[in-house]
């Protein structure tokens, strides 16, 4: 049996035909297990792009710390706060 994945707002949902719902005996709100023909990497598995391992942010920061202060990027001045990002609370600058 096949089902179509569609976008619903920011989410992707699996759309089942009325015949598929009847055949599977599922109801709205019920939890189901989804199996895919694509292989899902195991938790903790290294992500790769074109066969090259991609480091995590934590690994990149650890390597930067290992290499020393000369490998730490300089702070970036974005200028004064303007618009909606201004936060009015007890921690005003």
């Amino acid at each position: 049996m096949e089902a179509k994945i569609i976008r619903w707002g920011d989410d992707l949902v699996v759309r089942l035909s009325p015949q598929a719902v009847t055949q599977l005996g599922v109801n709205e709100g019920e939890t189901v297990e989804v199996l895919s023909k694509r292989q899902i990497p195991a938790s903790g598995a290294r992500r790769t792009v074109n066969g090259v391992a991609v480091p995590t942010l934590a690994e990149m920061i650890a390597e930067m710390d290992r290499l020393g202060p000369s490998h730490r990027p300089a702070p970036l001045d974005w200028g004064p706060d303007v618009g909606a990002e201004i936060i009015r609370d007890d921690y005003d600058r």
Side-chain angles (χ1 to χ4, degrees), residues 7-78:
R7 181 162 300 282
W8 188 348
D10 290 339
D11 299 326
L12 293 178
V13 297
V14 177
R15 184 174 182 175
L16 299 173
S17 68
Q19 296 83 10
V21 171
T22 302
Q23 184 179 355
L24 294 170
V26 295
N27 298 306
E28 183 177 347
E30 188 174 345
T31 300
V32 296
E33 183 176 349
V34 177
L35 301 177
S36 173
K37 295 177 184 175
R38 297 179 188 202
Q39 190 173 20
I40 299 173
S43 178
R46 299 286 306 192
R47 180 172 170 237
T48 62
V49 174
N50 296 330
V52 178
V54 178
T56 64
L57 178 59
E59 292 169 337
M60 289 188 282
I61 292 172
E63 180 66 5
M64 181 179 62
D65 290 341
R66 185 188 72 78
L67 293 172
S70 64
H71 288 83
R72 193 170 278 285
L76 186 59
D77 182 12
W78 292 91

